[in-house]
Amino acid sequence: MESNVRVRFAPSPTGPLHIGGVRTALYNYLFAKKHNGTFVLRIEDTDQTRYVANAEQYIIDSLEWCKIPFDEGPGKNEKFGPYRQSERKELYKKYADILLNSGWAYYAFDTSEELDAHRKGHETKGKTFIYNWHNREKGRLVNSLVLTDAEVKAKITAGENYVIRFKTPQDEILRMEDEIRGNITIDTNTLDDKILFKSDGMPTYHLANIVDDHLMEISHVIRGEEWLPSMPLHILLYRAFGWNSPKFAHLPLILKPVGKGKLSKRDGDKLGFPVFPLAYTNEGSNDVSRGYKEDGYFADGFINMLALLGWNPGTEQEIFSLEELVQSFDLNRVSKSGAKFNPDKTNWFQQQYMQAKEDSELADTYCAILEEKGIYKDKYFVKKVVSSIKERAIFVTDFWDLSSFFFEAPKEYDAKASKKNWKEGTPELMNELIEVLNNIQDFSSKNTETKIKEWITQKGIGFGKVMQPLRLSLVGALKGPHLFDIIEMIGKEATIKRLENAILKL
Ligand code: GLU
């Protein structure tokens, strides 16, 4: 049964989704699923100056790849829709008016030049200018707290630019509770009167966010630490409207692998790892950013890694399926301090997931890669290849390098290995080996191994004298799985052909 737990992921479509954003979405998803709740996607696109058209689709595609789909959002179960704030524009003015009428907000007409002058004036006195109870009614600022109603009306009718500011209460120690950080208190005298609405008809983030969380019946706001400074205003806004406030949980930052500071795209570029789930092309340019998907990471391993970046299960367990994460996730075990990003650990997870994947699933992926190369092999064969090379692979893209010899004859031979192992007498020995192979009917790995080893023993020579040139002829280098398994897989004809080739070329 559906519960009252309703959480939302509320990204602004300003570019690709950073892995910090993916983690926020993931924790919201896990929390929702754990409590049989609903995971909402809301697009916060009120800031048109930062709007990027392909970003919303990128966000949706990312959640899909990560397999953490939203239950409600643009185009899906639009029970509380629309879910794009730009499409809810008409709504917000009404709520700004409610605050104006109840005295929780006021019009302000100060121009940006005037505000700059105030800032500079304060700076020269070693002070910081804050628009709040200190000065809002002293007459130096132009707002509806000091102007008469008629003056305010006249300015608005004349088309003067205005903003609507929140009237922060004075002299109060505001007590707040964060699910992760516990009790937080703040002196309201230190807060500025934030802008809620602008004369262009657009709400600011703060107003739109609170109104929508209320109307969408959000029970828990789980978001990044960078929004913690907004929490007092948000709590005060709920109070001003007379609404119950949702519970808040502010997640720790994801930090650079070395040192302090938030993980940025630059860190990824410098150290060679992606910071985005999917590759992203900047609109109007050829600047492509790498993505975990395109770099060959498994979505489930990536999600597992992200889940543990700031949360711990309280046990030693590190490998979790999404279902297990849902069961174990608990906001109480999310840490307050930042989580250092470790690209090596990401690769470790990738490797663990590679080993745990079913050969059959990997074979499907590999078949598609082979087909792109024009190689069509039945899945049974490809599955056998996969099982013989998997333990040496981290990415599916490693498969070809580790197994091309199962599909085609070597085009060249490793020079160093050839020099060391293809000696005088080797061609004659290989010709004799061809004879031996010609006489073998059962080409199973076991049988060819027995027969060839018998022949070598009879000849009284070292195994290496035969095995190394044979491997070189079949693989092109001294690498690869058990030699007789390769022979069984490629079969009699190809084995002999490759030996003949090597005799000609080496
Ligand atoms: N639109 C904000 C963002 O881009 C949402 C913050 C919040 O979750 O309240 O992160």
Side-chain angles (χ1 to χ4, degrees), residues 8 10-12 44 205 209 213 221-223 226-227 234:
R8 86 302 193 270
S12 298
E44 299 209 326
Y205 153 73
N209 187 272
D213 279 348
V221 169
I222 304 170
R223 62 185 174 191
E226 61 273 32
W227 301 103
H234 293 182

Side-chain angles (χ1 to χ4, degrees), residues 6-14 17 24-25 28 38-46 51 55-56 59-60 63 69-78 80-89 91-92 203-223 227 234 238 243 246 248:
R6 289 178 55 83
V7 295
R8 86 302 193 270
F9 177 48
S12 298
T14 54
L17 191 58
T24 300
N28 273 285
T38 305
F39 174 43
V40 177
L41 174 68
R42 184 173 70 228
I43 302 294
E44 299 209 326
D45 56 352
T46 51
Y51 179 77
E56 178 183 321
I59 291 163
I60 292 173
L63 298 183
F70 53 92
D71 302 308
E72 271 174 35
K76 195 169 175 188
N77 298 327
E78 298 212 348
F80 292 85
Y83 292 85
R84 272 181 214 103
Q85 287 187 328
S86 58
E87 292 168 14
R88 303 168 67 81
K89 203 176 129 186
L91 201 90
Y92 304 114
T204 59
Y205 153 73
H206 300 294
L207 181 67
N209 187 272
I210 262 50
V211 167
D212 287 347
D213 279 348
H214 173 71
L215 296 179
M216 294 181 181
E217 298 178 8
I218 298 302
S219 62
H220 295 75
V221 169
I222 304 170
R223 62 185 174 191
W227 301 103
H234 293 182
Y238 282 106
W243 297 336
F248 286 91

Side-chain angles (χ1 to χ4, degrees), residues 400 408-413 505:
W400 178 250
E408 59 181 28
K411 295 199 173 74
E412 51 197 24
Y413 303 91
K505 289 189 186 161

Side-chain angles (χ1 to χ4, degrees), residues 38-319:
T38 305
F39 174 43
V40 177
L41 174 68
R42 184 173 70 228
I43 302 294
E44 299 209 326
D45 56 352
T46 51
D47 186 351
Q48 291 297 316
T49 57
R50 296 178 62 219
Y51 179 77
V52 173
N54 64 3
E56 178 183 321
Q57 194 55 46
Y58 179 93
I59 291 163
I60 292 173
D61 292 345
S62 299
L63 298 183
E64 196 171 302
W65 179 66
C66 293
K67 298 199 182 67
I68 49 172
F70 53 92
D71 302 308
E72 271 174 35
K76 195 169 175 188
N77 298 327
E78 298 212 348
K79 201 161 133 200
F80 292 85
Y83 292 85
R84 272 181 214 103
Q85 287 187 328
S86 58
E87 292 168 14
R88 303 168 67 81
K89 203 176 129 186
E90 309 313 323
L91 201 90
Y92 304 114
K93 179 66 173 57
K94 180 177 121 195
Y95 289 95
D97 285 341
I98 291 176
L99 295 180
L100 283 170
N101 291 334
S102 59
W104 278 103
Y106 58 92
Y107 287 105
F109 299 92
D110 315 85
T111 64
S112 38
E113 292 77 23
E114 283 164 354
L115 291 173
D116 270 349
H118 288 304
R119 264 180 225 117
K120 289 216 176 86
H122 275 68
E123 262 169 41
T124 50
K125 286 186 232 148
K127 289 184 182 164
T128 311
F129 172 74
I130 308 180
Y131 203 126
N132 68 1
W133 62 279
H134 277 103
N135 46 25
R136 65 189 168 208
E137 282 160 83
K138 298 248 166 76
R140 283 187 292 272
L141 299 170
V142 195
N143 59 47
S144 59
L145 300 175
V146 288
L147 300 170
T148 64
D149 285 355
E151 285 169 323
V152 170
K153 238 188 208 127
K155 279 179 179 293
I156 294 175
T157 324
E160 251 186 62
N161 278 339
Y162 67 81
V163 296
I164 297 173
R165 286 183 183 270
F166 184 65
K167 192 175 171 199
T168 316
Q170 194 180 334
D171 296 334
E172 183 185 336
I173 300 298
L174 185 67
R175 290 175 208 291
M176 302 171 288
E177 177 139 338
D178 184 275
E179 299 294 294
I180 296 167
R181 283 146 216 277
N183 291 325
I184 302 172
T185 52
I186 192 156
D187 179 351
T188 57
N189 287 351
T190 63
L191 302 173
D192 56 350
D193 291 352
K194 281 269 187 293
I195 297 173
L196 302 176
F197 197 87
K198 296 187 196 156
S199 50
D200 65 2
M202 275 301 204
T204 59
Y205 153 73
H206 300 294
L207 181 67
N209 187 272
I210 262 50
V211 167
D212 287 347
D213 279 348
H214 173 71
L215 296 179
M216 294 181 181
E217 298 178 8
I218 298 302
S219 62
H220 295 75
V221 169
I222 304 170
R223 62 185 174 191
E225 181 180 313
E226 61 273 32
W227 301 103
L228 192 58
S230 300
M231 186 176 167
L233 170 63
H234 293 182
I235 301 259
L236 288 169
L237 277 168
Y238 282 106
R239 186 204 285 176
F241 280 118
W243 297 336
N244 284 332
S245 140
K247 289 191 160 49
F248 286 91
H250 289 90
L251 307 175
L253 292 178
I254 297 183
L255 304 174
K256 298 175 189 300
V258 278
K260 291 186 185 137
K262 203 170 152 182
L263 178 72
S264 71
K265 174 165 153 27
R266 289 243 324 266
D267 299 315
D269 289 346
K270 229 168 45 199
L271 298 166
F273 60 85
V275 299
F276 303 125
L278 312 179
Y280 178 78
T281 312
N282 270 349
E283 271 193 342
S285 87
N286 293 326
D287 179 16
V288 183
S289 301
R290 289 163 57 182
Y292 279 90
K293 178 184 175 199
E294 291 75 7
D295 272 19
Y297 289 85
F298 296 123
D300 41 10
F302 170 69
I303 282 298
N304 193 159
M305 175 279 291
L306 271 187
L308 290 165
L309 213 54
W311 167 80
N312 76 79
T315 64
E316 294 294 301
Q317 187 179 347
E318 288 191 281
I319 302 295

Side-chain angles (χ1 to χ4, degrees), residues 341-354:
F341 184 74
N342 179 353
D344 295 336
K345 193 75 190 184
T346 316
N347 286 347
W348 180 83
F349 274 107
Q350 170 67 18
Q351 200 166 19
Q352 300 297 314
Y353 273 78
M354 172 62 88

